Amino acid sequence: MGRPVGGPFPHPSNIFKGTGSAEAQRAPACYRAVMKLVLVDGTAMAYRAFYAIPGNLSTKAGVPTNATFGFATMFRKLFAGRNPTHGAVIFDPPGRTFRDEAYPEYKAERSAMPELLSTQLPWIRRLVEAFNFRHHTLPGYEADDVIGTLTRQAVTRDMEVLIVSGDKDFSQLIGPKVRMLDAMRDITYDEALVRKKWGVPPKQFVDLLALLGDKIDNIPGVAGIGKKGAVALLEAYGDLEGILAHLDGMSGRQRRALEAGVESARISKDLATIRTELDLSLGLDELRLAPPEPKKLDALFRKLEFFSLLGEEARRADEVELGSRDYRVLDGPSAAERLTRDDRPTAVEPLVGPENHALADWVGCAFSTESGERFYVPFPIGQVPDGLRSWFEDEKQRKLCHDAKQLYLLALGRGLTLGGLRGDTKLASFLVDPNKLLPHRLDQLSKEFLQETLRPIERLVGTGQSRVHPRSVPTEQARDHACHRADCVRRCWEALRPRLQEMGQVDQLRTQDLPLSEVLARMERHGILVDQEDLARMGDEFGRRLRELEHRIHQLAGRSFNIASTKQLSTVLFEELGLPVVARTKTGYSTKVEVLEKLAKNHEIASLLLEHRRLSKLISTYTNVLQAAVQPETGRIHANFQQTASQTGRLISTDPDLQRTPIRTAEGKRIRRAFVVPEGHRLLSADWSQIELRILAHMSQDPILLESYQKEVDVHRRTAAELLGKSPEAITSEERSLGKTINFSTIYGQGATALSQIAGVTRKEAEAYIRRYFETYAGVRDWRDKSIEQAKELGWAETLFGRRRLIPELSSHSAMDFSYGERVAANTPIQGSAADICKLAMLRIDARLRAVHPKAVMIMQIHDELVFEVPESEVEAVSALVKNEMESVVELSVPLVAEVGTGPSWAEAH
């Protein structure tokens, strides 16, 4: 279940502005715009929308809306800058058409429309009507024929026509006044593009299909005639009848194919021909467009819960008139006096400055109590007002918030020890359903649970160069903004609390996620020291190597060109150098990494291009970003470790993203060398060994996996030996790598296609490896099957510690979504449990360090690795402490193993 939430789109009511208005029609003819007719293949667009949007999208009442939402967004975007005067959406009729009667095999292999889509067609038609468009269906005729007839009528009246569809059959209608827009690919077909794509002009397109047929529609064509031959025949003889009239002058295989396929060709041409002379019950004058009525559209958007599509006026109407609310401004003592009266939880919402989140300015704070008081307290720079400090620190004063980590960070910056935090709507929403409102911003929760639109901070401080610091905003405006948010926090918590209980996640919040917020806040506040001079040198080194690569690539190409341009690169590789074409795109040759990797085996320029791309990405993703992320006040990077950004429960680092730092490459080690510690300290890195496979062994109780880890056997080598029928001693390093790939592909639920690409083997070999793997590790196979069936029954999967992940895809009618749901059901218990174990270890280690080694600080969490800044004199003791806690945090059927290293930088420690 889910609903679209997010940033607003431009409202559709503006798309026809000035085109169909009465004023425009009353203007003198010489000033009127050219009449433009837009004809939308509604059925095709509905199908595309259905498969483009996940099938679990629905209203709270359970009405499926994925196709309707996709249709609405596609339809809205369709007319930007086009200003049509007339328009209609044409749908295919239910049941058979005249083509089915004439040729029963026509489209016989197509499956019926999915029920999940057909149930949404009435809503899609209502949506079309809300846009003030006519829609039409003619029994017995496809949408193509209605569109063809309206196109002919429009051309006779000198109107321009735009057909919106991706169906190639419309190529036959294209002409000087008629074009076709493939909206999904953003390609507009005119006569020249049809000729370029098919080799024939539009007037010969039906004759081309008569010869080639169409597998999609099950049109037979002429067996033995390919595209090249068909184009040559049409160039020589004009059309199908011209070709058939000259059979006597032909010889060989082509003549025999045509003689045998005369009837098939004529049937095919008739099936492929779009009818343009139908007797329709609507005419062009009835298709004149008027601008959509915003209120009508917004009413339907609200009914369908498409809040992100609401117009500006509707969004403003949703925004509560804040000035009418009983919000007050208080000083610290008055606020504290009111807060201590009530022993029920109070929602707290800080107003912060625009600085880095770890060093943000605490401008003020709003409070919302259960007794109905809402007030705002301005904070002096760097201080907490008198009276409030003791309230914030009092463990007995229960507090609610949205984003506990931010509140802990602000408290750390003011020397506060925050106490009494009992609830966090951001974490609670994530625990209830990690998928639905990712990343669980307060505006998303407010719309979901309160049906209220929160005013964005930009309304308060402005945007771009006109943006101001919140401290310069009038106090009354700051009060209204912060108090409304605090009130939303309290009311969202009331909605989320029973859901937490229903999902069995109350203990998870109180014992793990909330306490971890404080640990992460201390990590972020402390930050990671970097050698800025070394970062600059590294940037120069990478830049110099990049220029050398460019020079060598240009030498091999024989000329200079823009390496970043796909078009220029493909011209050089495949047209000028004549390299073999591995894959094509819709518009030319593919130069993807997979293509270059295949070419690199025999062509130096391809391997240099791969190196160039890798180095370019390192420069843009790391050296430049890391230098920009260093805070001048501290000389450190204060990354943001997010708890609610990954559906698996893993922590995600942003600003910058440290978790994608390469590990095994020379450049990755070079980047890690810039992460250092102050003089007199060492950097300590502790990493679990194969934690996910160890969890898999524990959960599946597979005897071979259990034995391997209990006896400390190399699991990857053993897997390779089992699959290849060799002794472990005979396994080469490359074969061990294959075993490792297959072991981890089990966790991620990768199929044969994905495995073949990763492992560099054929799909058939990958299928054989997967089959043999599950024959060998039958316990893993049985556990996976059981986990998937249980998730189908319950609707969720859970970790060893009870954290749940809802999997709506398991009830989807889409085969792709359902398959994804099965993979999630199998890997969530493993990946989620690994995330839980890591978080529990962080909590235990943090508590121990603060108690016995307070100068040692945890500074990073990267995948299965924890990183610390430790005084040199305490390295040995802290190493033992960290290793012990990581290995004993949970008792499994196999041992957890943590490897610890230390050094002056992250590179040496890892």
Side-chain angles (χ1 to χ4, degrees):
M1 299 282 284
R3 293 183 288 146
V5 188
F9 294 109
H11 196 260
S13 61
N14 298 317
I15 60 180
F16 310 116
K17 194 172 183 180
T19 61
S21 64
E23 290 78 10
Q25 299 310 314
R26 287 198 297 269
C30 60
Y31 291 108
R32 290 181 195 163
V34 174
M35 303 266 273
K36 299 178 181 178
L37 170 65
V38 171
L39 297 170
V40 180
D41 184 347
T43 305
M45 183 176 283
Y47 264 102
R48 286 190 165 188
F50 178 74
Y51 289 110
I53 305 293
N56 59 304
L57 201 67
S58 62
T59 66
K60 281 185 175 179
V63 176
T65 57
N66 68 313
T68 315
F69 180 72
F71 194 100
T73 54
M74 293 165 70
F75 204 76
R76 179 196 58 79
K77 294 176 183 178
L78 192 57
F79 303 100
R82 293 193 171 90
N83 298 328
T85 58
H86 297 68
V89 180
I90 314 300
F91 292 95
D92 285 331
R96 297 170 65 82
T97 68
F98 78 93
R99 290 183 178 85
D100 300 300
E101 301 296 338
Y103 187 68
E105 291 83 5
Y106 179 69
K107 294 187 177 181
E109 296 182 9
R110 284 201 187 182
S111 56
M113 178 180 285
E115 182 182 356
L116 194 62
L117 172 56
S118 63
T119 59
Q120 296 181 63
L121 288 181
W123 287 106
I124 290 174
R125 290 190 176 94
R126 287 183 62 179
L127 186 74
V128 171
E129 293 166 3
F131 275 94
N132 275 342
F133 257 72
R134 287 290 298 269
H135 61 79
H136 191 70
T137 302
L138 185 62
Y141 292 90
E142 295 179 63
D144 302 30
D145 303 305
V146 179
I147 290 173
T149 299
L150 290 171
T151 297
R152 180 192 58 77
Q153 293 176 8
V155 170
T156 61
R157 289 178 53 175
D158 203 32
M159 296 176 72
E160 292 185 359
V161 181
L162 181 68
I163 299 169
V164 180
S165 178
D167 189 342
K168 65 181 181 300
D169 292 352
F170 287 115
S171 297
Q172 63 191 276
L173 300 179
I174 291 174
K177 291 280 186 180
V178 183
R179 294 174 300 147
M180 181 181 77
L181 171 66
D182 184 341
M184 286 289 283
R185 298 180 177 86
D186 196 25
I187 299 173
T188 300
Y189 288 86
D190 56 12
E191 292 177 280
L193 190 54
V194 171
R195 179 183 279 278
K196 181 179 179 181
K197 182 174 179 62
W198 296 103
V200 297
K203 66 179 182 180
Q204 291 181 322
F205 185 77
V206 173
D207 298 284
L208 182 70
L209 290 184
L211 297 169
L212 295 181
D214 187 343
K215 289 183 180 179
I216 295 175
D217 291 343
N218 210 32
I219 295 175
V222 177
I225 300 295
K227 182 181 175 183
K228 186 175 180 181
V231 169
L233 286 168
L234 290 170
E235 285 179 349
Y237 303 112
D239 59 17
L240 177 62
E241 293 307 319
I243 293 169
L244 297 180
H246 289 84
L247 291 180
D248 291 342
M250 301 180 195
S251 60
R253 184 185 58 80
Q254 193 174 63
R255 176 176 176 174
R256 290 193 297 273
L258 288 166
E259 286 177 338
V262 169
E263 183 180 355
S264 179
R266 288 190 169 130
I267 290 174
S268 297
K269 182 171 181 176
D270 185 61
L271 293 172
T273 299
I274 292 175
R275 284 7 183 205
T276 60
E277 301 286 346
L278 302 183
D279 183 14
L280 302 179
S281 61
L282 78 165
L284 293 176
D285 291 338
E286 297 172 75
L287 305 185
R288 187 177 296 280
L289 294 174
E293 300 169 34
K295 290 183 179 179
K296 187 177 179 181
L297 266 173
D298 289 331
L300 183 59
F301 288 160
R302 287 185 191 281
K303 186 181 288 288
L304 292 166
E305 300 174 11
F306 296 166
F307 300 116
S308 60
L309 298 185
L310 290 174
E312 183 67 17
E313 183 179 339
R315 288 197 301 274
R316 285 183 178 275
D318 275 357
E319 294 173 0
V320 179
E321 190 57 45
L322 301 183
S324 65
R325 294 205 167 188
D326 183 22
Y327 297 153
R328 287 174 289 171
V329 177
L330 299 179
D331 60 17
S334 299
E337 190 274 329
R338 280 172 168 75
L339 289 169
T340 52
R341 284 186 205 158
D342 199 336
D343 63 354
R344 292 173 295 180
T346 296
V348 179
E349 175 66 14
L351 179 62
V352 299
E355 296 87 353
N356 176 282
H357 73 282
L359 307 173
D361 178 18
W362 198 352
V363 176
C365 197
F367 304 86
S368 176
T369 69
E370 286 199 22
S371 59
E373 290 196 271
R374 285 80 55 92
F375 48 85
Y376 173 75
V377 182
F379 281 22
I381 296 176
Q383 300 178 37
V384 176
D386 294 339
L388 281 181
R389 177 175 289 272
S390 59
W391 182 84
F392 273 113
E393 293 187 332
D394 190 344
E395 182 65 31
K396 294 179 182 178
Q397 295 294 328
R398 293 179 291 169
K399 306 163 187 75
L400 309 171
C401 69
H402 181 84
D403 195 353
K405 178 163 67 74
Q406 181 194 52
L407 202 56
Y408 278 119
L409 275 166
L410 294 170
L412 287 170
R414 305 304 179 277
L416 276 177
T417 301
L418 187 63
L421 201 55
R422 296 292 189 270
D424 179 334
T425 52
K426 187 175 189 177
L427 295 175
S429 175
F430 180 79
L431 285 168
V432 166
D433 187 347
N435 308 289
K436 191 173 184 180
L437 299 177
L438 209 70
H440 304 272
R441 298 187 311 269
L442 184 57
D443 65 300
Q444 294 174 302
L445 272 62
S446 179
K447 182 61 71 177
E448 172 76 13
F449 299 114
L450 310 177
Q451 287 73 56
E452 284 187 20
T453 298
L454 277 178
R455 288 187 173 183
I457 187 67
E458 288 76 18
R459 289 282 178 83
L460 189 69
V461 299
T463 58
Q465 294 184 344
S466 63
R467 188 181 181 98
V468 298
H469 194 288
R471 285 196 179 277
S472 65
V473 172
T475 302
E476 292 75 15
Q477 293 180 23
R479 171 202 66 195
D480 292 348
H481 176 84
C483 282
H484 186 209
R485 290 180 64 87
D487 203 37
C488 286
V489 170
R490 182 179 58 78
R491 289 185 292 143
C492 284
W493 175 254
E494 291 172 357
L496 281 163
R497 182 173 54 186
R499 300 189 186 201
L500 273 174
Q501 293 170 339
E502 289 170 14
M503 294 290 290
Q505 300 300 298
V506 173
D507 288 344
Q508 188 77 28
L509 176 67
R510 291 181 177 171
T511 63
Q512 182 168 307
D513 288 32
L514 262 179
L516 185 67
S517 296
E518 185 176 6
V519 175
L520 296 176
R522 282 195 291 271
M523 281 173 50
E524 293 178 11
R525 180 76 186 176
H526 188 272
I528 308 141
L529 186 66
V530 294
D531 186 335
Q532 296 182 65
E533 293 182 359
D534 192 39
L535 274 180
R537 286 194 299 271
M538 181 167 54
D540 292 339
E541 291 171 16
F542 287 177
R544 184 172 60 254
R545 283 179 54 194
L546 195 67
R547 290 190 293 275
E548 291 170 355
L549 282 168
E550 288 176 354
H551 178 69
R552 179 58 181 152
I553 290 169
H554 289 158
Q555 279 186 325
L556 292 172
R559 66 177 179 89
S560 296
F561 67 99
N562 182 1
I563 296 174
S565 167
T566 301
K567 184 175 181 180
Q568 292 186 36
L569 178 59
S570 61
T571 298
V572 168
L573 293 179
F574 304 112
E575 295 180 12
E576 297 176 10
L577 296 180
L579 271 59
V581 176
V582 177
R584 294 179 182 270
T585 66
K586 295 292 181 182
T587 56
Y589 308 108
S590 173
T591 60
K592 293 193 302 185
V593 169
E594 294 83 356
V595 170
L596 294 178
E597 286 175 342
K598 290 181 179 179
L599 295 174
K601 297 174 182 178
N602 300 304
H603 303 277
E604 182 187 1
I605 193 170
S607 60
L608 294 177
L609 286 166
L610 286 169
E611 176 72 7
H612 185 277
R613 286 189 184 178
R614 189 171 59 83
L615 202 54
S616 296
K617 184 176 181 181
L618 286 174
I619 292 171
S620 63
T621 308
Y622 295 104
T623 58
N624 295 346
V625 171
L626 292 178
Q627 290 181 72
V630 177
Q631 294 300 309
E633 306 98 306
T634 63
R636 291 173 177 263
I637 288 174
H638 300 268
N640 181 5
F641 290 90
Q642 299 188 51
Q643 293 170 268
T644 63
S646 169
Q647 295 155 312
T648 64
R650 287 274 191 183
L651 296 178
I652 299 293
S653 73
T654 59
D655 309 315
D657 179 359
L658 300 173
Q659 290 169 325
R660 294 182 185 273
T661 309
I663 297 175
R664 293 176 178 80
T665 66
E667 291 81 10
K669 293 176 182 177
R670 180 70 184 84
I671 292 169
R672 289 170 181 250
R673 202 171 77 199
F675 290 80
V676 295
V677 287
E679 189 173 345
H681 290 70
R682 303 289 278 181
L683 198 144
L684 185 153
S685 168
D687 201 351
W688 277 287
S689 169
Q690 300 175 6
I691 185 171
E692 290 182 344
L693 283 173
R694 292 172 189 271
I695 292 170
L696 175 63
H698 170 79
M699 287 188 149
S700 69
Q701 290 295 298
D702 181 87
I704 296 179
L705 272 183
L706 289 173
E707 182 188 52
S708 296
Y709 282 117
Q710 289 163 353
K711 294 185 177 180
E712 298 183 2
V713 172
D714 185 331
V715 173
H716 301 322
R717 184 175 296 278
R718 182 168 188 174
T719 295
E722 296 282 357
L723 298 185
L724 299 174
K726 300 170 68 173
S727 68
E729 296 76 18
I731 294 297
T732 66
S733 59
E734 290 80 9
E735 290 169 338
R736 183 186 181 277
S737 294
L738 175 64
K740 180 178 180 180
T741 298
I742 295 171
N743 275 332
F744 282 107
S745 74
T746 308
I747 295 172
Y748 301 118
Q750 291 162 334
T753 300
L755 179 59
S756 67
Q757 293 171 349
I758 297 169
V761 297
T762 66
R763 193 179 190 283
K764 188 174 181 180
E765 288 174 320
E767 288 175 343
Y769 286 144
I770 292 172
R771 184 180 64 254
R772 289 203 293 271
Y773 179 91
F774 285 118
E775 289 172 355
T776 302
Y777 297 105
V780 173
R781 179 198 59 213
D782 294 342
W783 172 80
R784 278 180 61 87
D785 292 345
K786 181 180 177 182
S787 297
I788 291 170
E789 287 306 311
Q790 187 175 20
K792 289 177 184 176
E793 181 180 341
L794 297 174
W796 69 74
E798 65 181 18
T799 69
L800 283 169
F801 304 90
R803 183 191 298 272
R804 292 179 183 175
R805 179 175 176 181
L806 299 177
I807 313 176
E809 292 84 0
L810 289 175
S811 59
S812 173
H813 293 267
S814 162
M816 185 180 298
D817 287 347
F818 186 78
S819 177
Y820 171 76
E822 289 188 315
R823 292 196 299 274
V824 170
N827 66 36
T828 289
I830 302 169
Q831 292 179 291
S833 296
D836 284 343
I837 289 172
C838 184
K839 292 173 182 176
L840 289 171
M842 291 173 73
L843 288 169
R844 287 175 50 165
I845 292 170
D846 177 79
R848 290 287 310 280
L849 289 180
R850 293 173 66 208
V852 296
H853 297 286
K855 293 181 180 179
V857 183
M858 183 158 42
I859 59 173
M860 282 193 288
Q861 188 276 325
I862 309 294
H863 302 302
D864 303 327
E865 177 185 10
L866 301 177
V867 184
F868 304 82
E869 187 178 286
V870 184
E872 286 183 341
S873 59
E874 301 179 30
V875 165
E876 186 175 346
V878 171
S879 295
L881 182 155
V882 169
K883 181 176 175 65
N884 179 67
E885 292 294 345
M886 290 176 69
E887 293 182 343
S888 64
V889 63
V890 63
E891 186 174 341
L892 301 179
S893 303
V894 298
L896 284 176
V897 175
E899 299 167 349
V900 179
T902 63
S905 74
W906 192 12
E908 284 93 344
H910 185 76

